[in-house]
Amino acid sequence: AGMFSAWCGITIAANLVGTPYGYGSMGGDAGRMAALVTHFSTSWVPTDAADPALPPEYPPLYPMLVGRVAAVTGHQAWSLLGTAQALVISASILAAFLLWCRLVPTPVALALSGTVLIGLNEPSKANEVFALAVFLPLVLATFAPPKGVRALNPLLAGLLFGLMVPFYPNFLILGMLGIGMVMIVGCRVAEAPRAYVVNAALTVGIAAVLSSWYLGPLLVAYSRGKTQVVADLFKSGVLAGGQFPLFGNNSSLLFALQVIGVVGIIALWQRAWWAPPVGLLLVGVVMVKAMMLLRFVLTSHSFMLLYVPYLFRFAVAAAGVLTLWEVWRLRGATLLEGFGAPRRLSGIVAVVALIGVIAHTRGPVWPTAPARPV
């Protein structure tokens, strides 16, 4: 897992040799991120970079951390974005692996840690990659662990969710309806429903308290009409073209993995512990997507439509890996033993296969696309 994580970070860093900028340079979202880290290199106060009288709309924790490192080291904040992108995406692989290890055997966790590369392939959005990588295993470990595995301690789970909100909350928002359904089902099947409700309430409460420094002032500003969601007005061909091909990618292998995931959720609903919660999450995401599409047609407000395919692709790819694991448990392990090979070889096979699937993607897709020198 450490080698896989390091390989991802080194690949990203190697593509930045020859340019002082990170991925995205100074254009678009990357330019706005450069402005945010520059703002936080001179101040700890979480305010909007354009208007200091307003609270930050964009989640401030990531640019705040980069900005404060720039202030301590004396570097220009924008010049640290490339390094931050490599480190944060590398850390996302390792963090996802550690969370998945609570739920599945380590070889499977190792393969699952790379599925985020299928869901989101933009190194300029390193904080989004991290939030997406840990989202699914964190939800499962907290609200729907397998039988015989204790749910994540509510103090730790609340801390992690509370950090996710100011780091990047969009995937949590998109999955909120699905998480609610997972919690309802989890309470009904729990051996101790009362304890389940208490732990869930503690998790949500701790997360709300820890993220209040960001959400509190923002919600107050919204209620007073002093600010608006800028991303809610985003319109482009990318938004229109990416909504219906939820499995959208340029690889037949990735498409096959995602289809296997959907089939596995349905076929293994009564057999695999992960199928119901992952399926409910996806149902919730699709329902939220439908409501946002309807709102977009009626009001021209897009909200976060652009991010729905990221979460969907990631979740069904992870389900594909989990489905293949179930098949492996039935047939593959016996086959491996028949050849006299060590069972630990399955971890190497899993990661090599996943890297091969990712590499099969055609077109300028991360991690092989170099940064554009400026």
Side-chain angles (χ1 to χ4, degrees), residues 8-361:
C8 293
I10 291 171
T11 302
I12 293 173
N15 283 332
L16 295 175
V17 172
T19 173
Y21 301 99
Y23 283 80
S25 185
M26 288 289 187
D29 289 344
R32 287 185 282 275
M33 181 60 71
L36 284 170
V37 298
T38 300
H39 165 74
F40 284 116
S41 69
T42 61
S43 173
W44 272 103
V45 181
T47 62
D48 185 82
D51 186 350
L54 294 175
E57 178 192 32
Y58 190 85
L61 186 55
Y62 173 63
M64 182 182 292
L65 292 174
V66 178
R68 298 321 301 168
V69 169
V72 171
T73 61
H75 287 83
Q76 293 290 331
W78 60 268
S79 69
L80 296 180
L81 279 174
T83 301
Q85 290 162 0
L87 290 175
V88 171
I89 292 180
S90 179
S92 71
I93 302 296
L94 199 56
F97 169 75
L98 293 174
L99 285 170
W100 279 116
C101 277
R102 291 184 55 89
L103 306 171
V104 295
T106 50
V108 185
L110 197 52
L112 284 166
S113 67
T115 50
V116 67
L117 314 185
I118 298 171
L120 182 57
N121 51 27
E122 298 182 46
S124 63
K125 300 179 182 294
N127 59 322
E128 299 179 23
V129 173
F130 190 97
L132 184 60
V134 302
F135 170 77
L136 185 56
L138 181 56
V139 170
L140 294 178
T142 303
F143 302 117
K147 189 174 182 179
V149 176
R150 292 187 62 181
L152 203 62
N153 186 287
L155 295 176
L156 178 58
L159 172 64
L160 294 176
F161 279 115
L163 290 174
M164 182 185 291
V165 172
F167 200 74
Y168 195 76
N170 281 9
F171 301 118
L172 191 59
I173 295 172
L174 290 173
M176 196 168 293
L177 179 59
I179 293 173
M181 292 190 289
V182 170
M183 292 170 66
I184 292 173
V185 173
C187 180
R188 294 185 63 179
V189 301
E191 296 180 357
R194 183 183 181 88
Y196 182 93
V197 172
V198 170
N199 287 339
L202 279 173
T203 300
V204 174
I206 292 170
V209 171
L210 291 178
S211 60
S212 61
W213 64 274
Y214 161 56
L215 284 183
L218 187 62
L219 293 176
V220 170
Y222 283 153
S223 66
R224 295 177 178 177
K226 291 184 177 181
T227 187
Q228 62 179 345
V229 182
V230 177
D232 195 29
L233 303 174
F234 175 79
K235 300 178 183 68
S236 80
V238 175
L239 178 66
Q243 292 312 306
F244 292 99
L246 285 174
F247 294 16
N249 51 63
N250 297 317
S251 168
S252 56
L253 287 178
L254 291 181
F255 179 80
L257 180 65
Q258 293 166 334
V259 171
I260 289 171
V262 174
V263 173
I265 290 172
I266 298 171
L268 299 171
W269 191 274
Q270 299 293 336
R271 178 169 182 162
W273 67 267
W274 53 266
V278 175
L280 290 172
L281 276 173
L282 288 173
V283 169
V285 170
V286 172
M287 292 173 64
V288 170
K289 176 186 175 70
M291 290 186 287
M292 287 193 297
L293 278 171
L294 180 61
R295 180 173 179 262
F296 181 56
V297 170
L298 296 177
T299 67
S300 296
H301 287 264
S302 60
F303 198 43
M304 291 177 292
L305 272 171
L306 186 64
Y307 291 91
V308 174
Y310 299 155
L311 179 54
F312 196 93
R313 286 199 299 263
F314 165 61
V316 293
V321 173
L322 290 167
T323 300
L324 293 176
W325 169 47
E326 297 290 345
V327 175
W328 177 266
R329 289 204 300 171
L330 293 175
R331 304 291 298 177
T334 304
L335 181 65
L336 194 64
E337 291 173 354
F339 284 108
R343 297 197 64 170
R344 288 186 178 182
L345 181 63
S346 60
I348 299 174
V349 172
V351 175
V352 171
L354 182 63
I355 293 174
V357 169
I358 296 168
H360 184 265
T361 303

